[in-house]
Amino acid sequence: MQKNGLFVMSIGLLVIMSSAFGAEMKINYLILITGLFFVALGFFIFKKGKSTNHEKTEEKK
């Protein structure tokens, strides 16, 4: 599950990078906010997977 979160975060960072376009590098705020949403969602998935994995290792001990 951790790898899925990192993948979603990387997609979000690519979307953020593509939010500025043209010679004047104007920022499209809708694309920027969408990218931030993907980064936050990926971080949430990553942390949830990490805590679930941590609980499983404690149960084995």
Side-chain angles (χ1 to χ4, degrees), residues 5-44:
L6 292 175
F7 178 72
V8 172
M9 286 174 64
S10 66
I11 295 296
L13 290 173
L14 288 173
V15 170
I16 290 171
M17 285 177 34
S18 67
S19 67
F21 61 93
E24 299 167 356
M25 297 303 282
K26 291 186 179 179
I27 296 176
N28 186 343
Y29 289 105
L30 181 62
I31 295 175
L32 181 68
I33 291 170
T34 304
L36 290 173
F37 172 75
F38 277 118
V39 170
L41 180 67
F43 182 74
F44 175 73

